Amino acid sequence: MSGAPLRGIAAVISCIAVYGMAGGAAYPLLSLVLESRGVADSVIGMNAAVGAAATVIAVPLFPRILARVPVRAFLLAAVAVELAAFLLLAVSDSLAAWFVLRFFIGASAAGLYVAGEAWLLAISPDNYRGRIAALYNCALGGCFALGPLLVTVAGVEGAAPFLLVAALIALAAVPLVFAGPAPDFGGGAGFGITSFVRAAPVLTLAVFLVAYADSLLLALLSVYGVRHGLGVAAAAVMLTVFGTGAVLLQLPLGWLADVVERYRLMAACAATALVLAAALPFLIRTPLLWPLLLALGGMLSGLYTVALAVVGQRFRGRDLVTANAAFGMAWGIGGFTGPTLAGAAMQQAPAAGLPAVLAVMLAVFLLLLWRRRLRAGAARNVLR
């Protein structure tokens, strides 16, 4: 790779990773501040969910905006909106204002991810795209996981934690200034998000599945562990091990995405995750729980890494932005759906409800992959 793409790749990954650390700190900080003000748990949850709603509402607008606005300017504007909204949260005591500001924070965050990923994929050489997507996913996941530690240092009282997170948000903009030439996402009319979903249902479902799995496991895995006899500390470590696997296994999977057929790799990740999910109720009280969670985190996160590599391979220009916008919508819908279904399933079947709703969605994804393979084979036979 030449110096210019390397500089752009490093800049975009650095920008999103630093922003991810800010987001990792902001989520618990804002919830804890509301809790300290005596706000009801249900309202705290609704306030956090506004960000996901903003994602679903805002992302359809991004392809049209990026067709007219340079991607660097768009990203800098998103950082500015995020920074302004977060600083306003620090000085506002109005719960209604917090809902409005969380909406803008969610929308600007979605813009950062959609435009940043499109920029990254557009400048990545195809024979390295899997590894670059893995490095991005690894950096983002690792920095997001470090974010909550900042809250333990800065606390939740006064302006200090808000200023710390705001400083990180502002810092995320700095690499963009030195990123070198940015891709152009203007040009023709392109296609819409609905057309992308019809053209690439496997990729869309892969992203939905990762968000669905992440959200339900982050929300309920520790609860599931406690109900199966684990102590509170051990149940909390379950999430740490799951997240560690999501970071550590990305680079090997990214390398594989550059040397094997990518849809086959997605099938292998999903099939492995399905077996692991099915085994969870039987191994949760054994030492095998920890390697199971490590591998499960890696396989699920690997689906997103490979999906990014495939979308960068198949789409260009404005269509690449639309593809990433569709990913953003799929992520938002998956984040809503996962905890809701898992919570209901755990009420009906405490022992197997959580892994069952994960395993069912993985099975649906594998069926879709199998259907795609059959159609591809039929098309090749027609051409013969």
Side-chain angles (χ1 to χ4, degrees), residues 96-283:
W98 271 57
F99 273 88
V100 173
L101 293 170
R102 287 296 287 269
F103 181 90
F104 281 103
I105 287 173
S108 57
L112 279 164
Y113 290 126
V114 169
E117 289 176 7
W119 184 343
L120 183 68
L121 295 174
I123 63 175
S124 298
D126 189 59
N127 57 329
Y128 287 97
R129 192 172 281 116
R131 279 164 281 190
I132 291 167
L135 183 61
Y136 163 79
N137 214 7
C138 184
L140 175 58
C143 287
F144 191 89
L146 288 175
L149 298 179
L150 298 178
V151 178
T152 66
V153 175
V156 297
E157 300 293 333
F162 285 92
L163 292 175
L164 177 60
V165 175
L168 284 172
I169 294 171
L171 185 62
V174 174
L176 299 176
V177 179
F178 305 98
D184 180 11
F185 294 118
F191 52 74
I193 289 176
T194 303
S195 298
F196 171 81
V197 173
R198 287 198 297 264
V202 170
L203 299 179
T204 307
L205 185 59
V207 176
F208 170 89
L209 174 57
V210 176
Y212 170 93
D214 275 0
S215 61
L216 74 86
L217 292 172
L218 287 172
L220 295 169
L221 183 60
S222 296
V223 176
Y224 184 79
V226 169
R227 290 183 179 175
H228 280 74
L230 297 182
V232 173
V237 172
M238 291 173 72
L239 279 176
T240 302
V241 175
F242 174 81
T244 300
V247 172
L248 291 182
L249 296 183
Q250 291 320 293
L251 292 178
L253 289 171
W255 174 79
L256 281 173
D258 290 331
V259 298
V260 303
E261 205 277 323
R262 287 166 177 165
Y263 283 100
R264 289 181 182 272
L265 181 57
M266 278 198 285
C269 288
T272 304
L274 175 58
V275 172
L276 294 169
L280 180 60
F282 305 100
L283 301 181

